[in-house]
Amino acid sequence: MREATLEQQPEFSEKVIMINRVSKVTKGGKKLSFAALVVVGDGRGSVGFAMGKANEVAYAIRKALTRAKRQLVKIPLEGSTIPHESLGLFGAAKVLLKPASEGTGVIAAAPVRAICEAAGIKDILTKCLKSNNPVNVIKATMAALQDLKAVKKDGRENESGKDNQAGGTQDQE
């Protein structure tokens, strides 16, 4: 049963953003460990990130990958770009995301570029403000992407990105 669920999972693109060596000083000496920051996405609007910490780099990356796959978030896309402008905040980091015309490409810093490419965003303009710490920049980028709302054909915004048919509050025409 477990093998069947593994075969049905979509193919994810995985990108290691940062590996940080951390040392803890104890009375016996310095204890080294590693922290890995990883971004995972399917290229069709789902993206996630996570940190993993372990005594070896490979284990830290493996832990981060499994956590990132569990924390996938669906992003509304409009063609190869995002539906509207968004500003994400986390700590001191601010990330501005703007939709771009087709053929522009991903104009972004390395952490933001990794998230956009993993999510399948091909055309976007971004600007990182105030902080260049990769962890805070990624968290601010994810906050900006989660604030995006899909725009319906009649111009109204839909928060979930899908029609809310279960609620029954929409007008029946």
Side-chain angles (χ1 to χ4, degrees):
M1 175 116 180
R2 179 100 173 128
E3 294 175 10
T5 58
L6 289 177
E7 292 174 6
Q8 294 172 356
Q9 287 184 349
E11 187 64 31
F12 291 112
S13 64
E14 304 164 348
K15 178 94 167 123
V16 178
I17 304 300
M18 175 186 78
I19 296 176
N20 191 19
R21 191 180 79 172
V22 181
S23 65
K24 177 182 179 181
V25 179
T26 62
K27 69 178 185 179
K30 293 180 181 175
K31 183 176 193 290
L32 292 177
S33 62
F34 296 91
L37 179 62
V38 174
V39 172
V40 172
D42 66 353
R44 295 185 304 269
S46 292
V47 66
F49 78 97
M51 290 267 311
K53 295 178 185 174
N55 291 334
E56 295 182 26
V57 176
Y59 291 140
I61 291 172
R62 189 176 310 135
K63 283 169 105 176
L65 285 173
T66 57
R67 287 181 184 155
K69 288 178 183 176
R70 278 186 270 153
Q71 298 174 358
L72 288 176
V73 176
K74 188 73 176 157
I75 308 296
L77 297 177
E78 194 171 280
S80 64
T81 189
I82 56 177
H84 57 84
E85 190 173 312
S86 181
L87 180 68
L89 304 169
F90 185 85
K94 288 183 182 180
V95 175
L96 176 66
L97 305 177
K98 284 184 168 185
S101 59
E102 194 169 330
T104 302
V106 179
I107 312 293
V112 182
R113 175 182 298 275
I115 287 184
C116 292
E117 289 175 352
I121 300 171
K122 307 247 186 311
D123 302 305
I124 191 168
L125 301 170
T126 68
K127 183 67 181 171
C128 296
L129 305 167
K130 290 182 114 181
S131 174
N132 61 359
N133 178 347
V135 177
N136 289 345
V137 168
I138 282 185
K139 289 182 179 182
T141 304
M142 289 299 289
L145 289 174
Q146 289 174 349
D147 285 345
L148 292 175
K149 297 178 176 116
V151 178
K152 292 183 180 179
K153 298 211 185 249
D154 61 359
R156 293 186 297 174
E157 289 183 350
N158 185 10
E159 189 162 330
S160 67
K162 298 175 185 164
D163 290 332
N164 185 12
Q165 297 173 0
T169 58
Q170 291 182 340
D171 296 332
Q172 299 293 331
E173 296 179 311

